[in-house]
Amino acid sequence: MRLFNRLVGVLRGVVKHVVKQESGIRGRGHGLCAVAYALAVVVAASPAMATPLPITDLFNTGVDASGNLIATGASDTHWSVVGSPTISGTANFYNGAAKAYAINEWNPANNLPANQSISQWITPPNASPTVVFTPLGTPVNCFAGTFIYQSTFTMPSSFESALITGRFACDNNSPGLLLNGVGATVGSVDADKFLTFTFTSGFQAGLNTLQFYVYNDPGTAEPNPTGIQIQLTGTYAVPEPSSAVLALLGVGLAGVAACRRRAVRG
């Protein structure tokens, strides 16, 4: 409604000024024609506007609903492992709600960023039980293969466009990032050793699914951990109500047409 209210204010001033000036000089008919022209020009020249709004149910890895870091070993309620290697005949052996861990506690020499103040590393919840890594006292060993970390968020039916930007790091590498099956644009490594990414397409009304693929290389020694750390934010644009604006434009154009007919007859 902000665009409509702005137009109303502008048009009110135009009408008062034109009626006062034109009616006194050329007569009421010419003054109304001038108002019609002004109405059409002002409305047509006003650009379409949309209000950017945050996507409120996007969450970094390893945080709670308020964005605070969860405890080490706690389950991440926003990110889950939905695809993982087959172990001993069990498909997707490592699937489940991801858990928070500190990468520097298991792999400090791998040139990866440590946990941040707004995000932390998450790992598969069902690590191989054969290796317990001290000092965590928790299994973190995983077989080689592809792991899929997934999170979801919702979009309104009326959104016009949307954007998600962020950065991530993983152990060992990522075959791809997907939003409803559409790939992200992946940038370069930043100063904090994170890889930047952007989603500009693939958004849909209702439920949206983010999937980050991580490949764990075969390890030469145990434990062979894997995980990911993600930071992301998103916005979407909702168009301003346009029916009132189009109605004003229609009135203005109708007035212009009437004035042109009058000018031809005169």
Side-chain angles (χ1 to χ4, degrees):
M1 290 300 294
R2 287 195 295 271
L3 176 58
F4 175 73
N5 292 336
R6 186 182 69 174
L7 285 171
V8 169
V10 171
L11 291 172
R12 185 180 294 115
V14 171
V15 168
K16 287 182 178 179
H17 176 75
V18 173
V19 168
K20 180 179 178 181
Q21 297 296 321
E22 296 293 328
S23 295
I25 298 174
R26 300 178 182 177
R28 182 174 177 82
H30 289 286
L32 292 177
C33 285
V35 171
Y37 276 108
L39 179 64
V41 170
V42 171
V43 175
S46 296
M49 298 180 66
T51 302
L53 298 170
I55 301 175
T56 57
D57 51 350
L58 281 177
F59 293 94
N60 297 340
T61 53
V63 302
D64 60 20
S66 299
N68 301 313
L69 299 182
I70 59 178
T72 296
S75 295
D76 189 326
T77 59
H78 307 116
W79 289 89
S80 297
V81 178
V82 298
S84 57
T86 297
I87 306 297
S88 301
T90 301
N92 296 313
F93 178 84
Y94 301 101
N95 284 17
K99 291 189 175 181
Y101 290 108
I103 188 76
N104 55 2
E105 292 183 318
W106 78 63
N107 205 355
N110 204 24
N111 198 34
L112 293 169
N115 285 346
Q116 307 292 299
S117 62
I118 60 172
S119 65
Q120 59 183 322
W121 286 85
I122 56 174
T123 69
N126 304 319
S128 301
T130 56
V131 175
V132 175
F133 181 58
T134 304
L136 292 182
T138 304
V140 295
N141 187 53
C142 295
F143 277 41
T146 299
F147 296 76
I148 306 172
Y149 292 82
Q150 178 174 294
S151 185
T152 61
F153 63 94
T154 55
M155 294 288 291
S157 58
S158 59
F159 82 94
E160 188 176 66
S161 60
L163 172 70
I164 291 177
T165 59
R167 60 183 191 166
F168 78 103
C170 64
D171 185 348
N172 291 94
N173 58 76
S174 177
L177 317 178
L178 298 178
L179 169 60
N180 299 321
V182 179
T185 299
V186 178
S188 57
V189 177
D190 64 17
D192 296 323
K193 304 175 184 178
F194 284 89
L195 193 62
T196 60
F197 66 88
T198 303
F199 286 103
T200 57
S201 60
F203 297 90
Q204 62 188 26
L207 188 67
N208 289 256
T209 302
L210 283 167
Q211 291 186 328
F212 284 64
Y213 284 68
V214 175
Y215 183 75
N216 189 32
D217 291 338
T220 57
E222 292 186 331
N224 180 27
T226 185
I228 192 169
Q229 183 174 187
I230 306 168
Q231 298 176 359
L232 71 172
T233 59
T235 59
Y236 65 93
V238 175
E240 294 283 0
S242 58
S243 58
V245 174
L246 292 175
L248 284 175
L249 180 57
V251 171
L253 292 176
V256 169
C259 289
R260 287 180 175 174
R261 289 195 298 270
R262 180 180 298 174
V264 171
R265 289 196 301 269

